[in-house]
Structure formats: structure tokens, C-alpha cells
């Protein structure tokens, strides 16, 4: 009976170590998916706002309909507040939605600032300038997506292997 309990405990320790590695891998993958979704959403917003002249709340809802990450919920929240803005600027609404919907620590400070800079691209009065700003933001998020993808490929595998090795070493130490 004692051996069964000991083996069960060792199995739990090994599983916990492995799950830590898989969780870190998942976080890295979520960052890549987030940046990729922002890039795709900005492409949709550019099409909707500059070519089809869709009003901002409808364009935000349309872009959010194609997403699955926190950015989609941010767009939906922002669209709802823009519809009944009560004399607040779009910049204030955008910052509030970003602070509420994007989990703390998910983005680095510089990445969070790039996300806040998207507000300038969405509120342009001049269509040519607005399109230029949206394309610039798409490029920035495309670069961030590529960096996050490489980080996920390199560090994700490393985290999984390291956690499995740590779990195995704990098991060996406790035997």
C-alpha cells in the first residue's frame, strides 16, 4: 500500500512539472495568436473603414466577429461604448477597453503602447492618412506576430523539455 501511495505521489509530481512546461508553451502560443489576430483585424478594419466607409462601431463589431482572443472582446467592448459614448473621446474609450480586456502581464510595456497607438489610426479624419496609419500598424503587429511565433517555436519546446526533465529529476531524487 505504501509503495502505491509513493508511486502515485511521484506520478503527481512528474505530471505537475510537465503541466508547468505545457502552460508556458501555451502562453507563448497565445501571444503569437493574439498578434496575428490583431494584424488580421486591422486589415479588416482598413477595408471596412477606408473602402466601404462603414461607421466605426459597426466596423469594430465586424472585425471582432472574426476573432477569438482578448483583442476580439476588446473590439466588442469598444464598439459598445462608442455607440453611446457620453461625450468621451475615442482615445479614452480605447484605453479603458484595453486596460479591462487585455490581461495584465500578457503584453510587454512597448507592445501595450503599440496597441494603444492603434487608436490614432482608427480616428483619422483624412481617409488617406487613416489608411496609411492602419497599414503602418498592420506592419508593426505583423512584425510582433513573427517575433512571438519564433519565440514560441524556440522557447515553447524548451519549456516542455525542461519541465519534463525537472519532473524526472524530482522523481529520481525522491525514489
Amino acid at each position: 500500500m505504501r509503495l502505491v501511495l509513493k508511486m502515485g505521489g511521484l506520478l503527481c509530481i512528474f505530471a505537475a512539472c510537465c503541466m508547468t512546461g505545457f502552460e508556458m508553451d501555451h502562453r507563448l502560443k497565445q501571444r503569437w495568436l493574439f498578434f496575428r489576430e490583431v494584424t488580421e483585424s486591422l486589415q479588416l478594419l482598413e477595408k471596412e473603414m477606408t473602402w466601404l466607409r462603414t461607421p466605426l462601431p459597426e466596423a469594430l463589431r465586424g472585425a471582432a466577429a472574426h476573432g477569438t482572443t482578448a483583442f476580439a472582446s476588446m473590439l466588442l467592448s469598444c464598439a459598445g461604448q462608442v455607440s453611446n459614448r457620453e461625450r468621451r473621446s475615442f482615445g479614452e474609450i480605447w484605453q479603458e477597453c484595453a486596460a479591462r480586456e487585455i490581461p495584465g502581464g500578457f503584453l510587454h510595456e512597448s507592445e501595450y503602447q503599440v496597441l494603444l497607438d492603434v487608436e490614432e489610426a482608427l480616428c483619422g479624419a483624412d481617409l488617406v492618412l487613416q489608411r496609411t496609419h492602419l497599414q503602418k500598424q498592420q506592419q508593426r503587429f505583423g512584425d510582433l506576430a513573427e517575433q512571438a511565433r519564433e519565440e514560441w517555436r524556440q522557447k515553447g519546446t524548451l519549456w516542455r523539455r525542461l519541465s519534463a526533465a525537472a519532473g524526472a529529476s524530482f522523481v529520481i531524487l525522491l525514489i
Side-chain angles (χ1 to χ4, degrees), residues 2 5-6 8 29 42-43 56 66 70 80 90-91 108 119 129-130 150 156 167:
R2 193 170 185 199
L5 286 175
K6 188 173 184 178
K29 184 177 181 182
L42 289 175
Q43 289 173 344
L56 183 60
H66 298 330
F90 181 73
H108 302 299
E119 174 265 330
L129 189 59
Q130 184 180 30
E150 285 302 313

Side-chain angles (χ1 to χ4, degrees), residues 40-66 75 121-122 127 130-131 134 138:
E40 292 169 357
S41 295
L42 289 175
Q43 289 173 344
L44 287 170
L45 286 169
E46 178 190 357
K47 178 183 173 190
E48 291 285 325
M49 294 175 69
T50 59
W51 296 109
L52 301 176
R53 309 256 183 165
T54 306
L56 183 60
E58 291 176 32
L60 291 173
R61 283 187 193 96
H66 298 330
L75 291 176
L122 294 175
L127 287 178
Q130 184 180 30
R131 185 168 181 239
L134 283 170
Q138 288 172 31

Side-chain angles (χ1 to χ4, degrees), residues 91-103:
E92 292 172 352
I93 293 171
W94 186 258
Q95 287 181 357
E96 179 185 316
C97 291
R100 185 176 52 241
E101 299 294 334
I102 306 300

Side-chain angles (χ1 to χ4, degrees), residues 13-14 17-18 162-174:
I13 290 171
F14 182 74
C17 288
C18 288
L162 182 63
S163 65
S169 66
F170 282 140
V171 167
I172 291 170
L173 284 175
L174 294 174

Side-chain angles (χ1 to χ4, degrees), residues 17-18 20-21 155-169:
C17 288
C18 288
T20 301
K155 292 182 180 179
T157 304
L158 180 66
W159 274 109
R160 288 191 314 268
R161 289 179 181 168
L162 182 63
S163 65
S169 66

